[in-house]
Amino acid sequence: MNEVLLMGPGPSPVSHRVRSAMARPLLGHLDPRFLEELDRLQDDLRVVFESSAALTFPISGTGSAAMETAVVTLCRPGRKVLVLSCGVFGERIAAMVRRYGADLTLESFPFGSPVDPEVARRRMQEVAPDVVAVVQAETSTGVRSDVDAIAALCKEYGADLIVDAVTSLGGLPVHADAWGAAIVYSGSQKCLGAPPGLGPITVRDGLAQSQGEARSWYFDLGLISQYLGSERLYHHTAPISMIFALAEALRDLREEGLPGRFARHRKASTALRAGLAVLGLESRVAAVDLLPSLTVVAPPGGLDEAELRKELLFAEGVEIAGGLGPWEGKAWRIGTMGESARLQPVLRTVASIGRVLARHGRAVAIPEAGNQAAKAWEETE
Ligand SMILES: *Cc1c(COP(=O)(O)O)cnc(C)c1O
């Protein structure tokens, strides 16, 4: 099978270096050489999270496992938890909070809109939450919420902040320390450019110790920190090959530098939108709320959008995703994440979508779409 160009909302493509890292011979999870690699990975994660916290590491599990770790650590029976949601992933946090028995207030903003900090302030005054959770980059809608503003409110009202940075970490700035966030978590397969399977997380110093025993054994930060700390106490077997892969992806990121990585995401998403606009596909998100890692457009009218995506995958080898929740059938979600945030994959995606539309009788200017994409890439800082 030819390699599929992964332009959906994750998993994103991985570099040859990252793939090779997964094929390295295994080491034991207590081998000092493995632990050295893990230590270095943790240092690299602190840089990308902008976190000084000791407990900064990859959860063994996907982004949802990291989400569940955050929730099980902070959202216990008797705790008041305010979830500020503007899409499917905010709703997922709320579903977890409910299961763990905390006193949930769910404030949902309309699909396609960000969290409104003024509404958030009013809800915080009414509810006086112990914990507030927010998604920085909502992958179901392609919308960015203003975590700086929510973090300032949490400081003002004395609430612990949980931030979902799954589709933002490595793609746009995350300020764990400056936000004073209790927990920020992410996933390996979006902007970090590693395969799915790890959920990077950073936990404010002292927080895990102050919470006591969690309801989950596997996601108990107190137990896990005994493996990461000087005791090196066995808790569960670290997923060695996955950690090699993430370490390699973070090494790439360190070499490129965060400013360069962020610029590449901005350039790629701007280029993609410029090319898609020529094909008649317009963004569903207001300019101020756009993500550099995900573009959401309305699919072409009058055609079966799911069939078009299937054709794009099988005839062109390009994967994009459809809409979720209320936007099912009404959105195309196209990622520019990690390795796909480059000009070549963007041009290939634009041309492939153009060819599929042309086969369905649409008059599309494919070369012009490519030209506009390349021009936007050049002109974006
Ligand atoms: C992808 C995603 C998740 C879930 O991550 P999985 O790796 O699929 O478990 C959570 N939050 C957001 C915002 C995401 O985009």
Side-chain angles (χ1 to χ4, degrees):
M1 195 178 66
N2 287 328
E3 198 173 319
V4 171
L5 177 59
L6 296 169
M7 297 299 288
S12 64
V14 299
S15 69
H16 183 72
R17 267 170 70 170
V18 169
R19 235 183 319 160
S20 305
M22 292 195 78
R24 274 168 56 187
L26 292 188
L27 290 172
H29 65 116
L30 294 171
D31 186 313
R33 290 161 297 186
F34 173 72
L35 294 170
E36 214 172 278
E37 179 94 355
L38 182 57
D39 283 344
R40 204 160 30 232
L41 180 157
Q42 291 183 260
D43 281 340
D44 285 343
L45 277 182
R46 288 185 191 101
V47 172
V48 60
F49 271 123
E50 295 187 17
S51 172
S52 55
L55 199 48
T56 302
F57 71 101
I59 291 281
S60 307
T62 66
S64 303
M67 183 191 284
E68 192 139 358
T69 305
V71 170
V72 78
T73 301
L74 281 167
C75 307
R76 298 162 181 236
R79 295 262 170 93
K80 286 187 280 185
V81 181
L82 173 62
V83 176
L84 302 167
S85 169
C86 58
V88 167
F89 291 100
E91 302 280 330
R92 182 175 296 185
I93 299 175
M96 288 186 187
V97 170
R98 207 175 279 126
R99 285 186 183 218
Y100 285 109
D103 179 359
L104 168 70
T105 303
L106 172 61
E107 182 66 34
S108 293
F109 297 85
F111 240 66
S113 302
V115 168
D116 178 344
E118 278 316 304
V119 174
R121 174 185 288 281
R122 281 203 298 281
R123 297 301 274 159
M124 287 180 74
Q125 284 164 345
E126 288 161 20
V127 175
D130 302 297
V131 179
V132 172
V134 69
V135 177
Q136 186 179 18
E138 179 48 76
T139 321
S140 57
T141 60
V143 164
R144 171 182 187 165
S145 285
D146 182 357
V147 178
D148 291 347
I150 306 302
L153 289 172
C154 287
K155 283 182 185 167
E156 189 178 336
Y157 292 96
D160 278 329
L161 175 64
I162 296 174
V163 180
D164 177 313
V166 178
T167 292
S168 46
L169 192 72
L172 73 159
V174 166
H175 311 297
D177 278 353
W179 290 335
I183 297 182
V184 185
Y185 63 85
S186 188
S188 50
Q189 79 276 27
K190 304 208 179 173
C191 301
L192 296 178
L198 291 175
I201 194 167
T202 185
V203 182
R204 198 173 58 215
D205 283 340
L207 185 90
Q209 296 76 0
S210 70
Q211 300 298 309
E213 193 176 274
R215 273 200 182 182
S216 165
W217 182 89
Y218 194 73
F219 296 128
D220 186 319
L221 289 171
L223 294 179
I224 296 171
S225 56
Q226 294 178 347
Y227 170 65
L228 296 169
S230 50
E231 303 101 307
R232 297 297 184 187
L233 207 61
Y234 166 66
H235 176 253
H236 66 273
T237 310
I240 308 293
S241 303
M242 284 305 311
I243 285 174
F244 285 160
L246 181 61
E248 195 65 32
L250 291 170
R251 201 169 286 133
D252 286 348
L253 201 160
R254 185 186 339 126
E255 283 171 13
E256 182 175 17
L258 281 175
R261 177 66 64 109
F262 297 151
R264 193 152 62 68
H265 281 81
R266 282 195 302 275
K267 289 164 85 76
S269 54
T270 310
L272 177 66
R273 282 163 201 146
L276 294 177
V278 175
L279 300 178
L281 301 173
E282 295 293 340
S283 172
R284 293 208 57 162
V285 176
V288 289
D289 305 322
L290 286 172
L291 285 175
S293 46
L294 189 69
T295 292
V296 180
V297 295
L303 295 170
D304 180 339
E305 68 82 24
E307 278 305 315
L308 296 180
R309 282 189 287 115
K310 208 179 279 173
E311 197 175 317
L312 190 62
L313 177 60
F314 288 108
E316 300 285 338
V318 176
E319 181 183 84
I320 65 169
L324 285 182
W327 281 6
E328 200 183 330
K330 297 183 186 136
W332 276 0
R333 296 180 301 140
I334 309 176
T336 39
M337 301 180 176
E339 286 302 304
S340 68
R342 299 187 186 279
L343 182 57
Q344 282 315 313
V346 166
L347 291 177
R348 184 174 150 198
T349 302
V350 168
S352 293
I353 292 176
R355 280 192 292 271
V356 169
L357 292 177
R359 282 201 286 275
H360 287 267
R362 298 293 157 108
V364 283
I366 297 172
E368 177 59 10
N371 289 342
Q372 289 303 320
K375 185 159 166 272
W377 173 279
E378 282 310 319
E379 288 173 353
T380 304
E381 305 266 304

